[in-house]
Amino acid sequence: MSLIGKIHYFRIPVISLEESVRWYTECLGFHLRRQNKELAVFELKEGPLLVLVKADTNSRGHLIIDGKPEFSVGFTCQEIHKFRQELIDQNVEVDEMVEEDGHYYFHFYDPSKNKLQVHW
């Protein structure tokens, strides 16, 4: 039996902390809990905290598989079609919506080009 109870936070590397804080608050609507020169901590409605960490320009928070980026952080959203359109309206890089057996998802990129996923 594991002594670990839950995931407390995820860290995502970002190039410009200030630009990323604006984007995650204004574009995604996340609540900024605290910030300093090196990191910013966000609270979501549920689940672990999301921590943005100022990192080197070649750092990314996703995996590379067969030379292509694959997301490592996935979010949920009941109004996924509306959310996707809101991202498009804000000029966010957004991939096509995918539907598999009534399950919808798409990928999008933050200002540091971290690949993220949202599904429902």
Side-chain angles (χ1 to χ4, degrees):
M1 182 167 114
S2 176
L3 297 176
I4 296 174
K6 65 180 181 178
I7 295 173
H8 183 67
Y9 59 86
F10 285 100
R11 293 176 9 138
I12 297 177
V14 296
I15 298 167
S16 169
L17 188 59
E18 290 299 323
E19 178 185 20
S20 295
V21 166
R22 273 193 308 280
W23 189 84
Y24 278 82
T25 55
E26 295 172 8
C27 192
L28 299 185
F30 290 177
H31 171 71
L32 180 63
R33 184 175 185 180
R34 70 181 189 90
Q35 177 181 357
N36 61 34
K37 291 180 181 181
E38 291 83 33
L39 59 85
V41 178
F42 290 91
E43 289 182 82
L44 285 73
K45 291 179 185 176
E46 293 183 32
L49 300 171
L50 180 69
V51 180
L52 304 181
V53 180
K54 185 170 176 23
D56 294 345
T57 58
N58 60 347
S59 295
R60 296 293 178 274
H62 55 251
L63 313 170
I64 302 296
I65 300 175
D66 294 329
K68 297 178 184 177
E70 291 293 332
F71 75 98
S72 60
V73 176
F75 301 103
T76 60
C77 178
Q78 287 184 334
E79 297 186 56
I80 192 167
H81 296 282
K82 179 180 177 183
F83 177 61
R84 183 173 180 277
Q85 187 58 52
E86 287 179 3
L87 292 176
I88 291 169
D89 292 346
Q90 295 180 65
N91 298 314
V92 174
E93 183 180 350
V94 177
D95 290 346
E96 293 297 318
M97 180 77 71
V98 177
E99 186 270 330
E100 292 178 350
D101 300 321
H103 174 83
Y104 293 90
Y105 68 89
F106 67 91
H107 301 102
F108 62 104
Y109 297 83
D110 75 1
S112 296
K113 298 296 183 192
N114 289 303
K115 186 175 186 176
L116 305 167
Q117 184 192 69
V118 65
H119 68 94
W120 191 252

